[in-house]
Amino acid sequence: MSQETIEIARRSFEAFNRTFSEGTPDLYEMLDPEVEWVPMSALLEGTAYHGHDGVRRHLEDMKRDWTTYEIRPERYLDLGDDRVLTLGAWRARGRGGDVLLDFPQAAWLLQYRNGKCTRVQTFTERKKALEAAGLSE
């Protein structure tokens, strides 16, 4: 297991949470300039975001819907080839109606190159994330 890749993934999630909640640029320092970001909304809308500007648009879109949004990684699986599957949860509070959502079965498949994230894909079903990673439950 590459502890270095796992550590980069851990710092990436911390940076995402800071960037969403505090507006810091921390996340963009962790991302390759050509990053491809495939969020949960891609399942419904078929959208992916490209580059730092695309990720900024994605976060702006999220902030229109959520007052708070926090990713809570629980387990990191080093898949080799600079890929990490992260299993965890997310919690968000909706802007309209102040509804709190807890989603306990989230997963993210991350690809890195030279210490920078080149691709993020979000999954709402761990089984599908494991399959995409070439693993089984």
Side-chain angles (χ1 to χ4, degrees):
M1 179 181 294
S2 168
Q3 274 309 117
E4 182 179 347
T5 306
I6 296 294
E7 180 60 22
I8 293 168
R10 185 187 64 72
R11 289 191 338 254
S12 297
F13 283 102
E14 290 172 353
F16 174 89
N17 286 336
R18 277 192 306 277
T19 298
F20 185 89
S21 66
E22 301 167 25
T24 67
D26 299 8
L27 177 62
Y28 307 106
E29 296 169 12
M30 307 293 299
L31 302 177
D32 184 89
E34 305 289 319
V35 66
E36 178 184 21
W37 193 285
V38 184
M40 183 174 51
S41 61
L43 295 171
L44 302 172
E45 302 164 6
T47 56
Y49 297 86
H50 299 275
H52 290 186
D53 288 341
V55 174
R56 280 187 187 92
R57 270 193 318 280
H58 172 55
L59 287 174
E60 289 168 9
D61 292 346
M62 289 179 67
K63 286 182 178 190
R64 275 197 299 270
D65 296 328
W66 309 105
T67 58
T68 62
Y69 189 98
E70 180 184 17
I71 294 175
R72 297 174 170 191
E74 297 163 0
R75 188 169 165 212
Y76 298 93
L77 304 171
D78 184 347
L79 304 173
D81 298 324
D82 291 325
R83 293 184 321 139
V84 175
L85 179 63
T86 304
L87 305 176
W90 59 261
R91 174 182 275 184
R93 184 169 300 280
R95 194 162 291 286
D98 200 37
V99 174
L100 180 65
L101 295 177
D102 264 315
F103 196 85
Q105 291 294 310
W108 299 267
L109 184 57
L110 309 167
Q111 176 73 50
Y112 291 90
R113 181 177 57 235
N114 300 322
K116 301 280 187 174
C117 187
T118 60
R119 188 167 198 279
V120 176
Q121 184 173 2
T122 304
F123 294 87
T124 57
E125 295 178 47
R126 287 191 180 168
K127 181 179 178 182
K128 290 188 180 200
L130 291 166
E131 288 171 2
L135 304 172
S136 58
E137 285 188 80

